[in-house]
């Protein structure tokens, strides 16, 4: 067969693949080749609705979509090709009081993300979109810089620009298989011969799952059916010309003006159908699916309530096409952890809105090793092995699809595909009123419903019902003793000659501590950004036990593996399933644990930051004296088969001390009081330990030449340009994170973590401030459109000298 070569080989000719080729070539990369099995746009791009909205639930995803708008603004001048880009704004209606609260929360988030979003009156909404009936509306939100576009023309313009910059685009070339050696794709077999490539980008949309199967991957991306209608021309076509796009979440529908005075109306109904769950037909090219007006009719009836003109205009066309989806409704991007040279770029539900920015980020990821924005919410490493299975992915995708516009309160959990991963204590805790949340497949107790209270999560924007129950759990930890099931921790053992040297290279602190030491460590990148935040217990000279958060195991282990020298004899083995974890914490924790242990647990023998093998009753346990709640306590890492026995033994011993079960909602308020930080929120690859107030964990003298050392050394010497600050309010504010922090009329930060400290009696916020603001006062936080004064404080609010922690 013919042989071909490329430095960067992109599989898939939709908007994501074309944008990636464009940005690679535009940045000077040579030998960029894109392969498309049919013709450009003929997957899901050509029939997409074409809405370009920018606001998403994370700041960096929003920033990525803002990059799309910036690209679309300049692309026509760059290429000379028109693609009907209409930057006319987007309108989001609020038909109820709850929807108005939702809109105000979104507007606050948008403001903290640097995106203009205005709350307007029903009459102002009517002025922008005269087809609506404003009666009954509470108001609306308007983003002036949003718009809509013709997807196919846009994709062709991007492809043209990529060719102008030197990329090669080959159509009618089908990828058939892959050759793999030592964790690298060495050859891509196609209908026109084999391609050798340094990097392979999988941007094949709904076909990514099938191509991934050839590599032994369960790609957590799929497709579901999505319908919209195109109306006949309205009686006054001119009225449509400059309308913004519009979303009416209460009625689950969206609107986009179309050519010739027509309107596009689509929506997200319950129980859409999966597509390709048993394989995509080989000849499925530029095809639509049979329309189902019976399924669409309820949406049309809802739409007509607010846009009565739909009762007077006919339907010109029904579009029912498969659209990409993922296991959690967001994109699948980044280096596949199973391979050294496979970049994922798939699962783009709103690919037209994301296309420009996503291609830019993927190109940076390939060339620089990481994107300029931390994109953890979109990173493929957020998924576990179950996410790509048919039994999980399709039910979850269909549920997320149905809830695309439905009201979702902060903290709301999915209902489908539950019960996958359960600790040995699950049934016991369920019988005791546990209300479970879901994290990377694990069922974890969020809070416990007392007798007489239904164990169902109580959610609300202003006053969630679970607050009072979590407050009682919080109090028990501070005053007595509690048990927390933390079995879901991701756990690894790393061993073999040279293991210490690798960890010294990765961690910003000294890892050469005595056997039995427990080390809280940040693993940094070359820029000093925090790639992982974890605890490491030294079990032997070159043997370490690594523990990280439930959702971070794949990410953190991938970061470590990519820095282990090939053929080094170093092994990193996941042992999550081998050990349950029970955290016993509170001022009475030693009293309870000592009653059932043969070993001396006194502070002199078993100090904070150490680990020992002990017995609990007759069970062997690795006791690690550390925790995330700021009290005396131990994480007990227990062989799975002993976990229920250990729990029962501790519960019986703790009865005289009013021992209680505690969930993750209480953990969050406890750690906020103590100033403990959460990776992916408070700290990330975008922030350094010095900026985050963790400079004491950066050991320049004993830590060796670790990644990011020079950056952190400069920051420790000169001070950082920004730092994480703590703010408080005596008012109990309904905070959920992402709120704008203001000084005067200027947005100066966003809240990375928020909550109410039940011991200190204050609302607590974390947020980064630039150096010039450190001495300022008079800060405010915007909550549902209203401003509240907050005070900047120094140090942890609770036990700043660690007396209780080290008792």
């Amino acid at each position: 067969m013919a042989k071909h070569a490329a430095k960067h080989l992109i599989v898939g000719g939709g908007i994501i693949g074309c944008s990636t080729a464009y940005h690679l070539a535009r940045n000077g990369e040579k030998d960029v080749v894109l392969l498309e099995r049919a013709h450009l746009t003929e997957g899901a791009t050509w029939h997409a609705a074409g809405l370009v909205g920018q606001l998403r639930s994370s700041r960096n995803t929003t920033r990525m979509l803002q990059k799309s708008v910036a690209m679309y603004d300049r692309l026509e001048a760059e290429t000379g090709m028109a693609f009907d880009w209409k930057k006319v704004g987007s309108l989001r209606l609020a038909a109820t009081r709850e929807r108005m609260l939702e809109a105000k929360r979104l507007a606050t988030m948008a403001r903290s993300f640097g995106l203009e979003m205005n709350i307007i009156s029903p009459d102002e909404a009517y002025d922008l979109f005269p087809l609506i009936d404003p009666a009954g509306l509470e108001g609306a939100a308007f983003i002036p810089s949003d718009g809509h576009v013709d997807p196919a023309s846009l994709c062709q313009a991007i492809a043209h620009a990529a060719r102008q910059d030197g990329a090669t685009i080959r159509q009618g070339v089908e990828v058939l298989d892959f050759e793999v050696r030592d964790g690298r794709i060495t050859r891509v077999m196609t209908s026109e011969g084999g391609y050798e490539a340094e990097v392979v980008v999988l941007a094949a949309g709904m076909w990514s799952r099938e191509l991934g199967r050839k590599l032994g991957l369960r790609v957590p991306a799929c497709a579901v059916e999505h319908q919209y209608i195109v109306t006949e021309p309205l009686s006054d076509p001119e009225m449509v010309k400059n309308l913004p796009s519009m979303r009416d979440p209460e009625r689950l529908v969206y609107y986009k003006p179309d050519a010739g005075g027509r309107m596009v109306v689509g929506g997200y109904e319950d129980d859409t159908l999966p597509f390709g769950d048993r394989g995509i037909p080989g000849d499925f090219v530029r095809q639509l699916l049979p329309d189902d007006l019976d399924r669409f009719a309820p949406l049309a009836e809802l739409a007509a309530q607010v846009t009565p003109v739909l009762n007077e205009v006919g339907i010109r066309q029904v579009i029912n096409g498969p659209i990409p989806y993922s296991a959690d409704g967001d994109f699948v991007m980044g280096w596949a952890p199973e391979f050294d040279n496979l970049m994922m770029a798939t699962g783009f539900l709103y690919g037209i809105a994301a296309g420009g920015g996503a291609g830019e980020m993927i190109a940076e990821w390939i060339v620089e090793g990481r994107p300029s924005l931390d994109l953890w919410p979109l990173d493929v490493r957020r998924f576990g092995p179950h996410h790509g299975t048919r039994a999980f992915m399709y039910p979850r995708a269909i549920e997320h699809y149905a809830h695309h516009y439905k009201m979702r309160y902060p903290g709301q959990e999915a209902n489908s595909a539950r019960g996958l991963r359960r600790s040995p204590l699950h049934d016991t805790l369920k019988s005791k009123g546990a209300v479970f949340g879901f994290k990377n497949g694990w069922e974890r107790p969020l809070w416990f419903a007392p007798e007489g209270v239904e164990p169902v999560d109580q959610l609300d924007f202003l006053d969630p019902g679970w607050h009072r129950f979590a407050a009682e759990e919080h109090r028990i930890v501070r005053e007595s003793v509690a048990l927390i099931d933390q079995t879901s921790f991701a756990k690894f053992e790393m061993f073999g000659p040279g293991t210490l040297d690798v960890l010294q290279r990765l961690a910003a602190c000294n890892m050469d501590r005595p056997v039995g030491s427990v080390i809280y460590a940040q693993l940094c990148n070359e820029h000093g950004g925090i790639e992982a935040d974890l605890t490491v217990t030294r079990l032997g000279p070159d043997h370490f036990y690594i523990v990280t958060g439930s959702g971070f195991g794949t990410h953190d282990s991938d970061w470590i593996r990519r820095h282990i020298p090939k053929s080094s004899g170093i092994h990193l083995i996941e042992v999550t399933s081998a050990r349950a974890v029970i955290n016993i914490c509170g001022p009475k924790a030693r009293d309870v644990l000592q009653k059932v242990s043969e070993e001396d647990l006194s502070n002199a023998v078993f100090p904070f930051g150490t680990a020992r093998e002990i017995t609990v009753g007759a069970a062997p346990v690795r006791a690690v004296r550390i925790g995330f709640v700021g009290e005396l306590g131990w994480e007990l890492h227990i062989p799975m088969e002993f976990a229920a026995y250990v729990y029962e033994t501790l519960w019986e011993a703790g009865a005289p001390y009013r021992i209680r079960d505690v969930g993750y909602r209480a953990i969050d308020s406890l750690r906020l009081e103590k100033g403990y930080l959460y990776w992916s929120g408070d700290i990330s690859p975008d922030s350094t330990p010095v900026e985050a107030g963790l400079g004491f964990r950066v050991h320049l003298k004993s830590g060796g030449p670790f990644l990011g050392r020079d950056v952190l050394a400069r920051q420790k010497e000169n001070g950082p340009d920004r730092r994480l600050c703590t703010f408080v309010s005596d008012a109990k504010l309904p905070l959920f994170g992402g709120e704008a922090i203001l000084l005067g009329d200027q947005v100066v930060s966003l809240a990375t973590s928020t909550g109410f400290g039940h011991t200190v009696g204050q609302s607590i916020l974390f947020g980064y401030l630039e150096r010039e603001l450190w001495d300022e006062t008079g800060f405010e936080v915007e909550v549902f459109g209203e401003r509240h004064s907050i005070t900047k404080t120094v140090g942890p609010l609770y036990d700043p000298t660690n007396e209780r922690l080290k008792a």
Side-chain angles (χ1 to χ4, degrees), residues 19 22-23 66-75 158 355-357:
S19 180
Y22 163 78
H23 282 99
Q66 288 176 294
K67 290 178 179 292
S68 291
V69 168
M71 175 181 164
Y72 303 162
D73 283 345
R74 70 170 188 264
L75 191 61
I158 296 171

Side-chain angles (χ1 to χ4, degrees), residues 92-104 138 248-252 405-408 461:
R92 185 183 182 93
L93 302 183
T96 65
R97 174 181 171 275
E98 289 289 281
R99 287 292 185 185
M100 200 63 200
L101 285 172
E102 179 187 54
K104 288 179 178 179
E138 293 284 328
D248 183 4
E250 191 64 27
R251 298 172 181 87
L252 313 177
Y405 286 151
K406 287 184 179 179
M407 183 70 71
R408 291 194 74 85
F461 281 124

Side-chain angles (χ1 to χ4, degrees), residues 98-115:
E98 289 289 281
R99 287 292 185 185
M100 200 63 200
L101 285 172
E102 179 187 54
K104 288 179 178 179
R105 171 167 162 72
L106 291 173
T108 294
M109 289 174 56
R111 191 171 187 188
S112 72
F113 297 169
L115 178 69

Side-chain angles (χ1 to χ4, degrees), residues 71 74 136 189 266 302 370 467 521 539 556 575 660:
M71 175 181 164
R74 70 170 188 264
M189 311 308 296
L302 289 169
R370 62 185 294 264
H467 269 186
L539 302 180
D556 293 2
V575 294
R660 282 279 303 271

Side-chain angles (χ1 to χ4, degrees), residues 278-291:
R278 303 291 171 174
I280 298 173
D283 60 350
F284 192 84
V285 175
R286 201 174 178 86
Q287 295 180 41
L288 294 174
L289 304 171
D291 59 63

Side-chain angles (χ1 to χ4, degrees), residues 379-432:
D379 195 312
V380 64
R381 294 171 295 177
R382 73 190 187 273
F383 293 114
H386 59 280
H387 282 102
T389 62
R390 187 163 53 219
F392 180 92
M393 184 168 56
Y394 284 97
R396 187 58 66 88
I398 289 168
E399 180 182 8
H400 279 299
Y401 177 95
H403 282 82
H404 190 79
Y405 286 151
K406 287 184 179 179
M407 183 70 71
R408 291 194 74 85
Y409 295 99
Q412 190 163 334
E413 300 275 346
N415 294 315
S416 60
R418 294 292 296 264
L420 273 70
R421 306 174 81 178
R422 309 179 211 180
S423 96
L425 309 182
H426 175 272
D427 290 353
T428 297
L429 299 181
K430 184 177 181 179
S431 70
K432 297 171 78 172

Side-chain angles (χ1 to χ4, degrees), residues 25 30 138 148 227 250 302 320 372 417 431 570 730:
K30 306 301 182 184
E138 293 284 328
H148 57 84
Q227 293 189 110
E250 191 64 27
L302 289 169
N320 184 16
S372 55
S431 70
I570 297 173
D730 290 337

